[in-house]
């Protein structure tokens, strides 16, 4: 049975705190670019963007990243090469500080795939990672720079993130 | 017994005395609190103040002696319209309670007219006296409000509030117990120190974070505390509440100003700038931060008052400093502001994680 472990208010607060931390650790946020990993990572990116706009009155570019072609859980035969676009982004990331956003950080394989995608699209000055939930069990040497909530889990458990934009309400459940 | 509330500008409000019969003087503060009267009267922030409650009948929600915010009452006097006995908790009436605390009070005062008068003419000194002759007027004109309000309410001796969590040092400028309650609820291992403690003394306690509490009076009367903040803010996460916020702002070359309409209300709306979230929180402050200086400083505005647009919360752009002018510990008032303590603990955790990460990679 799914159990709600984070409610909407706490999620809102976590996103606000991530925004503050992004400001704190980057003196000047002018060359920031937010890139959300589909699907919920994109909403995370947009929410951080709107907070930065309110606080600093600066428009940060936001882009969506579809990492399907870069995933490593499909064999070469399964991958449909024709679908791989040479530039998966519609914004310039050269010499920018890219903040990748996703809802859950788990094995780290998604993030590796996302970094592959970014590297093929340009040469960012720096890549940071912001996630709503870090649930542990990494299989690659990857860590997040900005974490909404650390939730220790067992590998049998599932973490389900719901966001208003697509699921109607904000919450995080474990089952 | 007939008594008089005399204002600095010569206005006289007649009424009937209750409680202690001594003559009292202090800063007159209009409080719009509906409930939590016992919390306001025992709040150390009211040191040196005469509290005038605008609620028509005080005491109707009960006087609950479990809700004290300090051991001794702090305010210099109370002004009310009328009082009534509560059916909720009728073990003690408001007037008997005030008499027991040996606070002078005056009732049957037209608090509505008084509140309008103060709104028009600004906050002023006042006195509760037995006569309203010229001599009384001379006395109140000659009155100088003491500049050492914080010294009077701050703890003389450091004391611990032990628990198993983060080590928090609280600099007591007029600490309310509800701040300690909130920290205890979050398992914080706190030490409460005198307002004049030096940076070395505080560093010796090895804090994870430092809280500058709320308190009474003019922040400019505390130059030593401001200097201590300038040293500590480079090394530790800071949370400033109320007076603590003003001191942290002054330590960073910001300026403060008096509010045209002081905030003394247990439920006033505040907007969180980043998310647009509205919280109803307790306010008890006459000063605010000067917008002009904040703009060019290293602070970002995180909270604003919805009613008058004044700044209610700031955060440093690269040091781990967060401040609120309202009272997140509530008492009295709604509990919307409790998240500020969670946010401060998150801030400490993220600083620790950063430090951990640095030592791992280097």
């Amino acid at each position: 049975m799914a159990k709600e472990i984070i409610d909407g208010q706490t999620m809102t607060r976590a996103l606000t705190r991530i925004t503050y931390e992004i400001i704190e650790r980057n003196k000047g946020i002018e060359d920031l670019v937010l890139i959300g990993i589909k699907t919920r990572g994109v909403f995370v990116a947009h929410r951080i963007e709107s907070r930065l706009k309110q606080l600093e009155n600066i428009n940060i570019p936001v882009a969506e990243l579809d990492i399907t072609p870069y995933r490593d859980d499909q064999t070469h035969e399964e991958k449909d090469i024709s679908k791989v676009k040479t530039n998966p982004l519609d914004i310039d990331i050269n010499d920018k500080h890219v903040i990748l956003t996703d809802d859950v950080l788990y094995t780290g394989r998604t993030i590796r795939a996302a970094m592959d995608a970014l590297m093929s699209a340009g040469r960012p000055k720096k890549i940071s990672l912001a996630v709503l939930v870090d649930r542990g069990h990494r299989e690659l040497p990857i860590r997040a720079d900005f974490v909404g909530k650390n939730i220790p889990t067992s590998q049998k458990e599932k973490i389900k993130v719901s966001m208003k934009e697509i699921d109607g309400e904000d919450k995080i459940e474990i089952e | 017994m007939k008594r008089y509330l005399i204002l600095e500008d010569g206005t006289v409000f007649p009424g009937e005395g209750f409680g202690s019969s001594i003559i009292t003087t202090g800063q007159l503060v209009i409080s719009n609190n509906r409930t939590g009267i016992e919390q306001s009267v025992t709040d150390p922030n009211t040191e040196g103040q005469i509290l005038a409650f605008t609620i028509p009948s005080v005491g109707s929600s009960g006087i609950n002696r479990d809700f004290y915010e300090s051991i001794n009452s702090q305010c210099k006097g109370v002004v009310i319209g009328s009082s009534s006995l509560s059916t909720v908790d009728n073990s003690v009436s408001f007037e008997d309670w005030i008499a027991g605390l040996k606070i002078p009070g005056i009732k049957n005062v037209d608090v509505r007219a008084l509140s309008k008068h103060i709104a028009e003419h600004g906050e002023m000194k006042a006195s509760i006296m037995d006569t309203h002759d010229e001599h009384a007027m001379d006395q109140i004109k000659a009155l100088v409000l003491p500049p050492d309000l914080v010294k009077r309410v701050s703890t003389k001796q450091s004391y611990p509030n032990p628990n198993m969590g983060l080590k928090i040092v609280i600099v007591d400028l007029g600490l309310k117990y509800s701040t300690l309650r909130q920290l205890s609820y979050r398992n914080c291992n706190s030490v409460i120190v005198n307002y004049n403690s030096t940076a070395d003394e505080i560093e010796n306690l090895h804090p994870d974070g430092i809280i500058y509490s709320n308190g009474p009076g003019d922040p400019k009367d505390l130059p030593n505390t401001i200097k201590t903040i300038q040293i500590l803010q480079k090394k530790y996460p800071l949370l400033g509440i109320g007076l603590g916020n003003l001191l942290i702002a002054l330590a960073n070359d910001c300026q403060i100003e008096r509010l045209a309409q002081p905030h003394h209300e247990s439920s006033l709306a505040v907007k969180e700038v980043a998310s647009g979230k509205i919280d109803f929180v307790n306010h008890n402050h006459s000063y605010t931060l000067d917008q002009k200086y904040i703009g060019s400083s290293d602070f970002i505005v995180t909270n604003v008052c919805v009613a008058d647009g004044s700044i209610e919360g700031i955060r440093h752009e690269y040091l781990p400093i967060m401040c609120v002018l309202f009272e997140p510990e509530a008492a009295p008032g709604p509990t919307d502001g409790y998240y500020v303590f969670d946010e401060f603990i998150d801030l400490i955790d993220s600083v620790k994680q950063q430090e951990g990460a640095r030592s791992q990679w280097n």
Side-chain angles (χ1 to χ4, degrees):
Chain A
M1 205 189 81
K3 188 182 145 212
E4 184 178 304
I5 43 173
I6 302 240
D7 60 6
Q9 249 186 354
T10 315
M11 193 199 278
T12 308
R13 225 186 63 225
L15 285 162
T16 307
R17 183 170 51 78
I18 289 174
T19 312
Y20 291 146
E21 284 180 12
I22 289 174
I23 296 169
E24 273 162 28
R25 290 194 220 153
N26 300 283
K27 290 179 186 172
I29 56 169
E30 285 79 14
D31 58 357
L32 279 189
V33 170
L34 286 161
I35 295 185
I37 298 172
K38 270 187 170 174
T39 308
R40 289 178 184 76
V42 177
F43 304 130
V44 174
H46 278 293
R47 293 217 198 163
I48 293 174
E49 181 236 340
S50 85
R51 283 165 167 77
L52 284 170
K53 170 126 183 64
Q54 291 297 322
L55 287 168
E56 296 277 25
N57 203 18
I58 284 183
N59 283 313
I60 304 289
V62 179
E64 300 181 7
L65 184 61
D66 188 355
I67 56 143
T68 321
Y70 295 90
R71 282 167 65 161
D72 65 355
D73 52 359
Q74 292 169 314
T75 59
H76 276 282
E77 289 71 39
E78 278 176 305
K79 278 187 187 170
D80 186 355
I81 303 295
S82 63
K83 275 190 185 163
V84 181
K85 286 174 263 173
T86 45
N87 188 350
L89 296 171
D90 46 9
I91 52 173
D92 181 23
I93 58 165
N94 283 305
D95 283 324
K96 299 282 188 194
H97 177 186
V98 172
I99 297 187
L100 264 180
T101 59
D102 203 357
D103 51 353
V104 182
L105 176 58
Y106 184 25
T107 60
R109 287 179 191 272
T110 308
I111 306 304
R112 187 209 62 89
M115 286 196 284
D116 272 2
L118 287 182
M119 293 306 186
S120 74
R123 190 192 183 283
K125 188 169 73 183
K126 184 179 176 184
I127 302 178
S128 304
L129 175 62
V131 294
L132 258 184
V133 179
D134 181 350
R135 61 167 294 191
H137 305 293
R138 217 77 79 240
E139 293 167 4
L140 294 170
I142 281 169
R143 72 176 174 87
D145 302 271
F146 309 100
V147 182
K149 197 87 183 166
N150 284 298
I151 302 178
T153 56
S154 88
Q155 268 166 314
K156 279 181 223 147
E157 287 167 321
K158 275 188 191 148
I159 294 280
K160 185 169 179 289
V161 174
S162 305
M163 296 189 77
K164 253 186 204 137
E165 292 88 336
I166 183 166
D167 310 296
E169 64 174 325
D170 287 344
K171 65 178 176 192
I172 300 175
E173 292 165 308
I174 191 164
E175 62 175 50
Chain B
M1 190 179 69
K2 197 152 175 96
R3 297 196 90 188
Y4 302 91
L5 175 72
I6 305 173
L7 307 188
E8 190 184 352
D9 64 357
T11 319
V12 178
F13 289 86
E16 196 185 330
F18 66 95
S20 164
S21 57
I22 57 165
I23 289 172
T24 187
T25 51
Q27 177 85 16
L28 183 72
V29 169
I30 305 291
S31 169
N32 295 322
N33 294 356
R34 262 62 193 130
T35 56
I37 305 296
E38 60 278 55
Q39 291 162 325
S40 296
V41 170
T42 56
D43 179 349
N45 292 292
T46 60
E47 171 71 30
Q49 295 179 353
I50 294 176
L51 282 178
F53 293 103
T54 54
I55 179 171
S57 180
V58 178
S60 54
S61 60
I63 297 298
N64 190 331
R65 284 169 290 180
D66 295 333
F67 288 169
Y68 281 14
E69 286 301 313
S70 65
I71 294 170
N72 301 310
S73 62
Q74 311 286 348
C75 75
K76 302 276 281 178
V78 290
V79 181
I80 60 169
S82 68
S83 76
S84 57
L85 196 58
S86 161
T87 53
V88 183
D89 171 16
N90 57 9
S91 57
V92 59
S93 78
F94 178 75
E95 285 177 38
D96 289 346
W97 178 62
I98 288 294
L101 293 173
K102 299 190 173 61
I103 300 173
I106 181 166
K107 63 178 177 179
N108 298 341
V109 171
D110 187 350
V111 280
R112 198 174 149 82
L114 175 64
S115 148
K116 278 176 117 174
H117 185 83
I118 295 295
E120 268 168 42
H121 299 92
E123 288 194 322
M124 54 182 84
K125 294 176 287 186
S127 183
I128 299 175
M129 291 187 177
D130 302 329
T131 52
H132 65 102
D133 51 18
E134 239 169 67
H135 175 64
M137 278 317 303
D138 289 345
Q139 266 189 325
I140 183 161
K141 283 214 178 91
L143 173 75
V144 178
L145 290 175
D148 62 344
L149 295 174
V150 169
K151 188 180 171 190
R152 294 184 190 194
V153 292
S154 180
T155 178
K156 308 284 179 286
Q157 179 81 45
S158 302
Y159 62 95
N161 184 29
N163 213 318
M164 302 303 281
L166 291 170
K167 178 74 161 291
I168 309 285
V169 168
I170 305 167
V171 180
D172 180 1
L173 307 166
L175 179 67
K176 285 161 69 187
Y177 288 167
S178 284
T179 305
L180 291 180
R181 285 186 191 110
Q182 289 308 313
L183 293 173
S184 295
Y185 182 71
R186 289 160 180 80
N187 297 332
C188 290
N189 186 21
S190 336
V191 178
I192 298 89
V193 300
N194 180 260
Y195 77 104
N196 243 345
S197 301
T198 64
D200 284 344
E201 283 165 358
I202 292 172
E203 279 187 64
N204 266 334
L205 295 165
H206 198 250
D208 292 315
I210 303 169
I211 295 180
Y212 279 84
S213 81
N214 30 17
D218 185 341
K220 286 183 178 149
D221 295 334
L222 304 165
N224 290 339
T225 315
I226 294 175
K227 282 193 195 106
T228 312
I229 290 173
Q230 284 166 339
I231 301 168
L232 293 173
Q233 68 178 8
K234 298 190 185 98
K235 303 177 186 170
Y236 301 100
L238 297 190
L239 168 63
I241 301 173
L243 181 62
N245 179 350
L246 298 171
L247 290 169
I248 289 172
L250 288 173
N252 289 285
D253 300 324
C254 294
Q255 289 301 318
I256 57 168
E257 57 187 2
R258 282 195 92 94
L259 280 161
Q261 298 290 338
H263 296 182
H264 298 288
E265 185 151 350
S266 60
S267 179
L268 202 55
V270 161
K271 186 172 94 171
E272 188 180 65
V273 175
S275 64
K277 182 167 67 94
I278 302 288
D279 296 312
F280 282 88
V281 287
N282 179 27
H283 293 239
N284 191 7
H285 58 98
S286 305
Y287 290 94
T288 185
L289 303 163
D290 192 327
Q291 311 251 13
K292 292 196 290 291
Y293 290 85
I294 291 291
S296 57
S297 73
D298 288 331
F299 287 107
I300 46 173
V301 176
T302 53
N303 305 78
V304 291
C305 178
V306 176
D308 60 8
S310 63
I311 298 172
E312 287 292 339
I314 53 172
R315 202 168 166 122
H316 202 276
E317 283 196 3
Y318 51 91
L319 293 173
I321 304 175
M322 53 178 287
C323 297
V324 287
L325 261 182
F326 60 86
E327 307 202 335
E329 72 276 11
T335 57
D336 291 12
Y338 285 175
Y339 77 92
V340 170
F341 295 101
D342 293 321
E343 221 167 66
F344 183 52
I345 285 165
D346 287 343
L347 180 68
I348 294 172
D349 283 341
S350 94
V351 168
K352 278 175 167 280
Q353 260 173 24
Q354 282 286 98
E355 280 168 2
R358 264 205 295 280
S359 59
Q360 259 175 40
W361 303 120
N362 293 336

